[in-house]
Amino acid sequence: MSAKARLYAIMEKAEEGDRLSRVFDICIVTLIVFNVTMVILETVKGMKEVYGGFVDIFEAVCVLVFTAEYMLRIWCCTADAKFARPIKGRLAFMLTPLAMIDLIAIFPYYVFLLVTVPPNYTLPLRLLRLFRLLKVGRYSHSMRLFGGVIWQKRQELYIVALALMLLLVIVSSLMYFVEHHAQPEAFSSIPKTMWWGIVTLTTVGYGDVFPITPLGKFLGALIAVLGVGMFALPAGILSSGFVEAMQDSDRDHKCPHCGKEIRNPK
Amino acid sequence: MSAKARLYAIMEKAEEGDRLSRVFDICIVTLIVFNVTMVILETVKGMKEVYGGFVDIFEAVCVLVFTAEYMLRIWCCTADAKFARPIKGRLAFMLTPLAMIDLIAIFPYYVFLLVTVPPNYTLPLRLLRLFRLLKVGRYSHSMRLFGGVIWQKRQELYIVALALMLLLVIVSSLMYFVEHHAQPEAFSSIPKTMWWGIVTLTTVGYGDVFPITPLGKFLGALIAVLGVGMFALPAGILSSGFVEAMQDSDRDHKCPHCGKEIRNPK
Amino acid sequence: MSAKARLYAIMEKAEEGDRLSRVFDICIVTLIVFNVTMVILETVKGMKEVYGGFVDIFEAVCVLVFTAEYMLRIWCCTADAKFARPIKGRLAFMLTPLAMIDLIAIFPYYVFLLVTVPPNYTLPLRLLRLFRLLKVGRYSHSMRLFGGVIWQKRQELYIVALALMLLLVIVSSLMYFVEHHAQPEAFSSIPKTMWWGIVTLTTVGYGDVFPITPLGKFLGALIAVLGVGMFALPAGILSSGFVEAMQDSDRDHKCPHCGKEIRNPK
Amino acid sequence: MSAKARLYAIMEKAEEGDRLSRVFDICIVTLIVFNVTMVILETVKGMKEVYGGFVDIFEAVCVLVFTAEYMLRIWCCTADAKFARPIKGRLAFMLTPLAMIDLIAIFPYYVFLLVTVPPNYTLPLRLLRLFRLLKVGRYSHSMRLFGGVIWQKRQELYIVALALMLLLVIVSSLMYFVEHHAQPEAFSSIPKTMWWGIVTLTTVGYGDVFPITPLGKFLGALIAVLGVGMFALPAGILSSGFVEAMQDSDRDHKCPHCGKEIRNPK
């Protein structure tokens, strides 16, 4: 294997038994976790003042590593048959979602370095660094498993999303009609009543808006009892999808008639 | 096929492979979604003033389309054996729930056009236009699937509804008895205490009413722990019904090796 | 069949095809539902003043019917082999839970009639009439099915109850220790902190008590994420028990090896 | 069996049919439950003043019993092959988690007896006595079953914990960015916004922080609908694990007619 192909193998998800690749993955994930933690803690007032110096150095080191990683990835991506052509292949690679995330994750640092950013854009640019978190998806089996569950249940989730949307519109329109006059501020329009609708149907119930008229309370109670079951459907779908996904990797499936293994009986 | 029969086929739910019918469905659904969105946004103060002209024209166009659709449906419904007779068949068709919804959905526009509506009736009439949303049910596979789940589980839901009603009465009566003296306003009667009961048992918990006496808190805690499991039953029933419904249409119950059917692989 | 035996058959749960018994059941249940609704509505201020006369008459009629029913039950219970002996059998019948409920349900009326009840005891005595609701259990298939589910899952519920108790004690002690100094009123003792614990772990979240210190919030967040899964267990147990109970009456169970029916495979 | 071996058998979890061991277990568990109840009630103001004398005596008796139990355990642990050596074995036994819990549970009493504890350390030391609760784990089948479920599902729970962490960071960062300017106090930093995130996603919804800007509400509603399904996963995992654990011990997988085993009837 050429050095380039070996490097590519290391940087991509670890193969079973490839220890160097595994070590590389763990190092990068650890770095990302620490870096993201720092980005989060930076927003706490007073943090920057005390640990500012360390934070700046650590950020520089991280960006250096991530830049090197990004460069190496672009260089060695031609080892993959899909991106084999020197220019076109590398451009195609750079346009893959994962490579875009890599770029966005280091991008803010260089903007701050090169341009004077207007104060309004400082915070969004800083927060853009949180895209580094998405890099974890490349290495984490858990995240891929999760993404797989959501992808496999996309049809169910889509149907439920439609039904919930419909339910929310009906419920909010009814409530708007009933409570509008008693609370012209909290239930000032149907879109605003939808805030009440979602807060109630997901059972969050902050308590910032709730019906106060007897009819509104009666309707609200009815909606809560009936609607809560509907809004719990995504939870049920994801749960069953997750249980299935975990079982698939564990359980062997056999036909009760011929005894042969069934790969994917779903 | 006669023109009438063809038109009827187009207007009813798209058959597999009938492209014109499918295009018709998508157009109508899109129109409904935009129209309903507008009805909802109209309730936001200031919206009407800015986009009033466009809104009025769009509404007129929509009603025109829906009226034409309604007329055509009545004309060509005789293509169906059920409504074959020219007068009686058409009247029977007009009394079907879906045709009623079609009528209600355009009805308010003509009322506003023909009569001076007293201010008290303006809002209800306007909101009546939201019935257009129910027209989506005619075309949407998701909505029919949902309706099917609820219909199939009607017996379970009915039993649970009875049990929840009973639980609510008992729980609210107990709480009324315990908290009535400490909070004569919030727990002024059993029906009013039921508002607390539902808000607690569905775990919405707005925080507008809650027990304050030690005994009330003890009872409330007990009720919450025991009752929450009961009020989660509709969610569980709908979830399992939905999962079953999705599996029924997806899964082939045949072993890929021997081709025999596998009974009830759940 | 003797008149007594026939009467007993009518008053007990309707056999398949016994129309008279079925009619009797429906009448009594309807009467109970109306009567309980009235007892509930009586607690609403102003109700009594307006409908007082009707309420009193209806109550008298109900008590008369229930008393007659109770008397007849005691008279004809000897038709059952279990209560065959004229005196001892009838006494044994009177001590069964269902007969006790029947007695308690009519008892308050006669107390009010015969004795001057001190004002403190008026409300409890009035509410005692809600025991009439429990009479529904005798006739309702749904209620018996529900009771059956809870009874069948008693072991699971007991285990979970123990675990939740333990969790609650640990969680509340920790929170008490952390938040006690910051909110000496809301978290004044471990029992009082348990109120916070239950309101949080059942996800009701009224918002009357919540941690305000950073450490308290961190601990509270951890507890919420970890504990909510535990407190959802009763809901899961009841749901699965209910689904099983519904399937048991629907589905025939056959052994895949010999094809014979399996009565109760659990 | 030597006296030591018999004592060891009694003190460890009751074998099937060992009545003395069972009685010993029940006595200790009862003592623990009463003692822990007292530790909890002691934190209620006024309790100590009234029942102080009894409390002190009961505490002394409990500590005496627990100390004797601890000593006896150390003495007879050599009956177990694992801890057979007189000194090294006993030291190894003392370092097992259960023995450590036994020690911690009696430790505070002797500290209070021997040293003048500075007021700051009084409360933590007192609460340390709640470790006695963990001693129940040694005897309780329920607690072991629960621990087993969590252990068996550790992989699933770990994956979900990672995904929830990721979701929480993304959701809180977005919300921080959107609401920071409107509510600089409640959404002052990403870690503080995480409090909102957890309170919302677990559907607790205290109502101490919630978005107030239209964009914040829109985002919050989206997050609630999408995220609630994710945060319900631990509940689903624990529920299914618990149901499996209960079925494993209950159900015989044999056809009552032909006696053959039925594989995986789920």
Side-chain angles (χ1 to χ4, degrees), chain D residues 173-189:
Chain D
S173 304
L174 274 171
M175 205 55 172
Y176 166 71
F177 177 56
V178 169
E179 280 289 309
H180 177 53
H181 287 293
Q183 303 190 72
E185 200 52 52
F187 294 87
S188 70
S189 66

Side-chain angles (χ1 to χ4, degrees), chain B residues 4 77-90:
Chain B
K4 198 194 270 185
C77 75
T78 52
D80 189 330
K82 269 186 295 178
F83 311 112
R85 289 203 285 175
I87 306 290
K88 277 205 169 172
R90 286 203 169 94

Side-chain angles (χ1 to χ4, degrees), chain C residues 47-62:
Chain C
M47 271 309 183
K48 193 82 196 225
E49 282 68 47
V50 182
Y51 302 103
F54 170 73
V55 162
D56 285 345
I57 293 166
F58 185 62
E59 172 70 12
V61 170
C62 285

Side-chain angles (χ1 to χ4, degrees), chain A residues 142 145-147 149-150 153 232-244 246, chain C residues 225-226 228-230 232-233, chain D residues 153 156-164 167 201-202 226-241:
Chain A
S142 311
L145 190 140
F146 240 93
V149 167
I150 291 171
K153 295 282 176 188
L233 281 179
I237 292 168
L238 286 180
S239 277
S240 76
F242 187 71
V243 167
E244 281 168 30
M246 292 302 293
Chain C
V225 173
L226 299 177
V228 160
M230 301 286 270
L233 280 178
Chain D
K153 295 284 175 188
E156 278 93 334
L157 291 172
Y158 169 74
I159 292 178
V160 168
L162 275 187
L164 294 190
L167 183 71
L201 291 171
T202 56
L226 298 177
V228 159
M230 301 286 269
F231 270 73
L233 281 179
I237 292 168
L238 286 180
S239 276
S240 75

